[in-house]
Amino acid sequence: MKVTAVVPVYNEEKTIKNVLDVLTSSDMINEIIVVDDGSTDNTPEIIKKFNVKIITLKKPRGKGYAVKVGTKDIKTNIIIFFDADLIGLKKEHVDVLLEPVTKGGAAMVIGLRDKGNIIANMIMPYFPLTGGERAILTNVFMEIRKNPFIEGWGLESVMNDYCKKKKLKVVKTKLTGVDHIGMQHKKYGLMAFLRQIYDVAITKIKLFGVKYD
């Protein structure tokens, strides 16, 4: 089964290099698409150093829109998503995400980030699952991307909702040693983080009445 990695990125010059180092060195990935959501820092120059397909948006439209654009013409069997602000990502994490799909009959795999302490890691699987590290069958995602609610910060919520209502097999797997730089710790500040949480919550409310063919 062939795999395409999709990485939406916006102003992640501190972390994008390691993410792409890992993805380009993985034997499991056949194609890498990086969608630059209008970055204004050194991110575009870093991306150009890698053998990846680059899609550049003129202005920021949000993660969901970037992913929608990046997945338009994918022909491989599986799509694997990675956020660009990851810390501690290694090649074995790619394998951990893909194996339940390639060998275990899962439609989607959700990577649980390692929060660095026992209590946080124990409760992670029970939180609303909004992590961006996922592997999913392409034919399943192509149905999901039709939903307009994926734009903004609603992408993962729609993915969860679709698989749940369709009764598809979803696997959660821990990505040991992997975390990310939260929006509240970036220059965007606490208000940007709260807007993200608000957007996710509103999307979940909108999804209550959604039915899929």
Side-chain angles (χ1 to χ4, degrees):
M1 300 180 79
K2 293 189 175 181
V3 178
T4 295
V6 176
V7 185
V9 57
Y10 175 69
N11 287 351
E12 300 294 356
E13 61 183 4
K14 294 181 179 179
T15 53
I16 186 62
K17 180 182 183 300
N18 181 65
V19 171
L20 293 182
D21 276 336
V22 170
L23 300 187
T24 54
S25 64
S26 172
D27 295 331
M28 300 292 291
I29 296 174
N30 304 96
E31 176 186 33
I32 300 171
I33 300 173
V34 180
V35 186
D36 179 12
D37 194 25
S39 294
T40 57
D41 64 357
N42 197 43
T43 295
E45 296 306 313
I46 296 172
I47 297 171
K48 290 176 184 177
K49 296 178 182 179
F50 292 87
N51 182 24
V52 299
K53 179 180 178 179
I54 303 171
I55 298 174
T56 302
L57 305 182
K58 293 182 179 180
K59 60 181 182 180
R61 295 286 301 271
K63 177 181 176 180
Y65 182 84
V67 167
K68 189 173 184 177
V69 171
T71 54
K72 181 180 179 182
D73 297 315
I74 287 178
K75 306 300 182 185
T76 55
N77 311 96
I78 300 170
I79 305 173
I80 188 167
F81 295 101
F82 290 93
D83 283 352
D85 60 355
L86 296 178
I87 302 168
L89 184 68
K90 297 179 180 179
K91 281 200 297 184
E92 52 260 39
H93 297 125
V94 177
D95 299 340
V96 166
L97 280 169
L98 285 172
E99 186 170 351
V101 180
T102 59
K103 298 180 180 179
M108 180 170 71
V109 181
I110 303 172
L112 302 177
R113 294 168 182 163
D114 189 347
K115 306 312 292 183
N117 66 78
I118 295 175
I119 295 176
N121 285 338
M122 285 178 62
I123 63 177
M124 271 291 290
Y126 304 100
F127 266 63
L129 297 172
T130 57
E133 290 65 65
R134 296 173 181 238
I136 188 168
L137 293 172
T138 300
N139 64 330
V140 172
F141 186 77
M142 288 307 177
E143 293 300 315
I144 291 170
R145 73 185 295 279
K146 296 176 184 178
N147 190 313
F149 297 156
I150 72 168
E151 298 190 16
W153 293 103
L155 175 63
E156 288 84 9
S157 296
V158 178
M159 294 172 77
N160 297 342
D161 186 69
Y162 181 89
C163 290
K164 181 178 180 180
K165 290 177 179 176
K166 285 291 188 176
K167 295 180 171 57
L168 301 177
K169 182 178 179 179
V170 176
V171 173
K172 304 170 191 174
T173 185
K174 183 179 177 181
L175 302 178
T176 303
V178 178
D179 201 359
H180 75 132
I181 303 175
M183 185 171 288
Q184 67 274 30
H185 299 300
K186 301 176 186 178
K187 64 181 180 180
Y188 314 119
L190 179 60
M191 289 306 297
F193 173 69
L194 293 176
R195 283 195 297 270
Q196 178 183 353
I197 297 299
Y198 174 80
D199 196 7
V200 170
I202 292 298
T203 300
K204 289 181 178 295
I205 292 171
K206 292 177 179 178
L207 287 169
F208 279 136
V210 172
K211 296 181 180 179
Y212 304 97
D213 296 331

